[in-house]
Amino acid sequence: MTTDPDNSDFRYPLRWRLMDGAERLLEIVWPRRFGRFTGWLLLLPALLLVGILVLGLWQMAESSLHVLDRNTFLPSEEYTLSNYGTIWQSATYFKVIWRSVQGAVWTVVFTLLLAFPFAYVLVRTPRAWVRKLLLIALFLPFFIGQVVRAYGILIVLGTSGAVNDVFGLIGVGPYRLLFNFPAVVFGLVQYMLPFAVLMLAPALTSIPQETETAASSLGANWLRSMRHVVLPMAKPGIVGASLVVMTLSLTDFAMPAMLGGGSQDFIANAIYDQFFRTADQGLGSALALLLVALGSVLVAVIIGLFGAGTLGMGEKK
Amino acid sequence: MISATQRRVFWGLVWFSILVLSLPTIIVLGASVTSGNMIAFPPEGFSLKWYEKIALARDIRGAFGRSLIVAFVCLVISVPVGTFAGIALTRYRLRFTSLIQIYLLLPFTIPLIGSGIGMMLVFGNWGILGHVWPVGLACAVINLPFIIWSVSSSAAVLDSDLELAAANCGAGRIETFLHVTLPGVMPGVITGGLLMFVLAMTEFLVSLLLTDARTVTLPVQIYNNIRSIITPDLAAISSVFVVVALIAVWLLDKLVGLEIFLKSK
């Protein structure tokens, strides 16, 4: 037994007594017989936090049912669906929605075209330092944030930017590369590339390299072994990556706002303008809810295909 | 890769991707040290005067401080909430698990503009719009799945017999949690916290919706300045984010290794 040098009667250390006190307090506040519900108690804060979003959706639904009174600039009292009618009949919103869908589809095509070889090389390269450098090239933009990346693209593609300098060296240009539809798609592809690669890479990891060796020893050239062996086996990853890229670029705000120069608005920009330019909350809320609905359909497809555990939250025991 | 053609085609595309991903960053870093008054590449001479300028600019220092506050508020809220939720999802048998998972994924599945507008309306009703801390709360909400995911993946590999052993040795519930469960999930907590901090630092759209002229965060400040005029001082501010990102990637690699993201489930 340890003895205290200057005190004969042994006292527990303060830390022990605090811990005992805490345990006793817990026994009063949350007795052991509540054990069945401990999991729910631990989950409660997260459920409440996400509840703010549900509350937000509810508020948007509520305000989408009131039209803006042009005389008082206040939402009207009575409930009506006319905001949705306005969107349905408006040629402008049809154009904006159509542009967003087109932008999202092009982004998916180009992103996958770049992400597939990137993920393939990343997974298959035998050299560890190459893999590390590729991963850093991928993660750095992810952490830099969208605004700064868009700013970088503004400088690179500007009339006196690096790309036009290169054009100048070979005697063509300068071209106006910014503030048009391709510039927005370029920005979106740059933004989405890390997401797509990180979704494709695990799918490619699970394909044994021997299958490709087998295909080529049976006389397939690399294009055929890609098409008939690798692509079919990577299909879940490819579909998942496409849907995620589709959803994120369809609803993006920053790239159309910064690289489109006001002429290439996507749905998110139209929603923002309704709230902060025309101050028509009802119409803006209706648009936002439509976008949420559109996104939810895409997400439902993802979950239907891969299950809710797509992100690996709460692995099965 | 067996065929030389395939190697050439794939590496060509990979180099193009690397160029697309890195060139804007490199150009921003280069532009920030120019001694001229215009963004030009290559920069005309080396100077740190733009860094001096942003260090002295009051609005930029204020915005940077507010971004730090937002990131800290987000960290303080999301780390305990996400840790408890991650532990609850993996270590307790709950009913309706798949429904809960779908619910907790709402921050990812609701488009950001929808979440932002919704929170703007809710915060407006609560009368807390115009403060800085609600932006941190909002960042915690929209990125919550990241930390839940990272804590769950470390909790899933923790042997639950360890907790039983601790209890068997006479440890109380708090002691078991503090000395067994928490150290076990710590890698996930740190990774998740790192992600939450950096994502809150760089969060743009939700900040744009929830801030006004007095409470702008740094990304919103950059956005507003870009719309007026592009000068090298913006490149200097942007370089601050590049440095933050470099530190984050280095830390992530040290803590869990970047290769973990390549593993198939």
Side-chain angles (χ1 to χ4, degrees):
Chain A
M1 195 186 126
T2 46
T3 46
D4 217 284
D6 31 45
N7 211 338
S8 54
D9 56 323
F10 177 73
R11 283 173 62 82
Y12 286 135
L14 181 66
R15 220 170 59 83
W16 293 16
R17 277 181 288 151
L18 282 179
M19 195 63 90
D20 282 349
E23 295 282 359
R24 229 170 287 138
L25 192 70
L26 184 70
E27 206 57 52
I28 299 164
V29 183
W30 192 259
R32 266 170 207 277
R33 61 195 155 81
F34 289 177
R36 292 197 298 141
F37 305 108
T38 307
W40 287 103
L41 181 76
L42 293 177
L43 209 51
L44 189 66
L47 298 179
L48 288 177
L49 215 52
V50 178
I52 297 177
L53 289 184
V54 179
L55 211 59
L57 287 182
W58 177 255
Q59 292 246 324
M60 283 198 295
E62 147 81 20
S63 71
S64 76
L65 295 176
H66 300 284
V67 281
L68 183 74
D69 190 333
R70 294 275 165 201
N71 297 317
T72 57
F73 274 97
L74 287 170
S76 63
E77 289 291 322
E78 69 270 19
Y79 288 87
T80 159
L81 282 172
S82 63
N83 278 326
Y84 294 95
T86 311
I87 297 170
W88 183 249
Q89 284 160 1
S90 153
T92 324
Y93 289 129
F94 181 77
K95 224 171 103 188
V96 169
I97 293 170
W98 180 236
R99 184 188 295 132
S100 317
V101 172
Q102 268 185 310
V105 170
W106 283 117
T107 306
V108 169
V109 171
F110 287 119
T111 308
L112 283 187
L113 198 66
L114 292 178
F116 183 79
F118 200 106
Y120 185 87
V121 170
L122 190 60
V123 167
R124 286 280 191 264
T125 181
R127 282 158 297 183
W129 64 270
V130 173
R131 185 172 301 130
K132 183 74 89 193
L133 281 182
L134 289 176
L135 278 167
I136 292 173
L138 212 56
F139 272 93
L140 205 56
F142 178 73
F143 281 126
I144 286 177
Q146 223 184 342
V147 180
V148 174
R149 283 161 79 178
Y151 174 64
I153 295 174
L154 278 177
I155 302 181
V156 173
L157 294 185
T159 329
S160 56
V163 172
N164 266 321
D165 281 357
V166 174
F167 281 144
L169 286 180
I170 53 172
V172 290
Y175 294 108
R176 192 171 167 273
L177 300 167
L178 282 171
F179 310 131
N180 49 29
F181 186 70
V184 176
V185 173
F186 178 80
L188 284 171
V189 170
Q190 209 257 12
Y191 176 45
M192 292 299 154
L193 200 51
F195 290 101
V197 173
L198 289 181
M199 289 203 66
L200 281 177
L204 289 177
T205 309
S206 59
I207 302 173
Q209 191 157 15
E210 289 78 16
T211 54
E212 282 169 69
T213 320
S216 67
S217 77
L218 291 172
N221 64 18
W222 69 273
L223 274 173
R224 288 181 69 182
S225 70
M226 275 294 139
R227 212 181 121 219
H228 296 293
V229 178
V230 180
L231 285 181
M233 287 172 93
K235 205 171 157 199
I238 293 173
V239 175
S242 316
L243 283 167
V244 167
V245 171
M246 179 92 193
T247 321
L248 287 177
S249 45
L250 185 66
T251 61
D252 193 56
F253 174 88
M255 291 300 172
M258 295 172 74
L259 300 178
S263 63
Q264 303 294 331
D265 280 1
F266 276 27
I267 309 175
N269 309 84
I271 296 170
Y272 181 86
D273 283 351
Q274 279 309 322
F275 273 90
F276 291 93
R277 295 250 168 86
T278 26
D280 190 344
Q281 252 197 29
L283 196 59
S285 297
L287 263 178
L289 277 183
L290 280 184
L291 189 61
V292 171
L294 204 61
S296 306
V297 172
L298 286 172
V299 169
V301 174
I302 303 179
I303 290 178
L305 283 174
F306 305 106
T310 314
L311 271 170
M313 286 199 323
E315 236 98 341
K316 288 270 178 293
K317 268 172 285 185
Chain B
M1 276 177 278
I2 303 127
S3 131
T5 329
Q6 182 190 12
R7 195 173 300 141
R8 230 169 286 143
V9 171
F10 271 40
W11 269 105
L13 286 169
V14 168
W15 273 111
F16 182 71
S17 297
I18 294 174
L19 198 68
V20 165
L21 285 171
S22 317
L23 194 63
T25 314
I26 294 167
I27 300 264
V28 164
L29 287 177
S32 73
V33 292
T34 183
S35 59
N37 292 326
M38 289 283 292
I39 298 263
F41 206 83
E44 336 162 358
F46 180 85
S47 119
L48 290 175
K49 67 172 179 181
W50 297 106
Y51 286 93
E52 197 185 328
K53 196 183 161 214
I54 61 163
L56 295 174
R58 180 178 291 185
D59 52 342
I60 288 162
R61 274 195 352 221
F64 183 69
R66 281 188 291 273
S67 273
L68 279 180
I69 295 175
V70 165
F72 273 111
V73 170
C74 170
L75 204 62
V76 166
I77 296 174
S78 64
V79 165
V81 171
T83 305
F84 285 141
I87 290 173
L89 280 174
T90 31
R91 314 204 65 75
Y92 291 86
R93 282 190 182 282
L94 300 171
R95 296 177 70 188
F96 317 116
T97 316
S98 56
L99 263 184
I100 297 171
Q101 281 180 350
I102 291 178
Y103 176 82
L104 289 179
L105 275 174
L106 277 180
F108 281 2
T109 58
I110 300 176
L112 218 46
I113 181 94
S115 311
I117 296 272
M119 283 191 283
M120 184 179 85
L121 296 176
V122 171
F123 290 172
N125 263 5
W126 290 351
I128 54 173
L129 224 49
H131 295 274
V132 177
W133 65 267
V135 184
L137 174 66
C139 288
V141 174
I142 55 168
N143 292 323
L144 194 64
F146 275 121
I147 188 160
I148 298 182
W149 160 76
S150 80
V151 174
S152 316
S153 37
S154 11
V157 293
L158 184 65
D159 192 347
S160 58
D161 286 347
L162 289 175
E163 284 165 357
L164 294 177
N168 201 24
C169 294
R173 284 178 292 167
I174 295 178
E175 237 181 328
T176 310
F177 179 80
L178 287 181
H179 294 300
V180 178
T181 317
L182 199 55
V185 297
M186 218 25 150
V189 175
I190 294 174
T191 314
L194 180 74
L195 280 173
M196 298 302 286
F197 188 87
V198 178
L199 291 175
M201 270 300 280
T202 59
E203 172 51 46
F204 163 63
L205 181 54
V206 169
S207 299
L208 180 72
L209 294 170
L210 295 178
T211 54
D212 54 34
R214 289 171 297 115
T215 55
V216 284
T217 56
L218 199 49
V220 181
Q221 178 88 28
I222 296 177
Y223 175 74
N224 290 339
N225 285 7
I226 286 178
R227 281 152 64 97
S228 47
I229 185 166
I230 296 184
T231 48
D233 57 340
L234 271 187
I237 310 173
S238 304
S239 305
V240 174
F241 280 103
V242 175
V243 172
V244 170
L246 273 172
I247 297 172
V249 170
W250 179 76
L251 271 177
L252 196 64
D253 191 36
K254 275 270 155 315
L255 291 170
V256 287
L258 296 175
E259 286 82 2
I260 197 170
F261 295 95
L262 300 180
K263 288 212 183 88
S264 63
K265 277 195 292 256

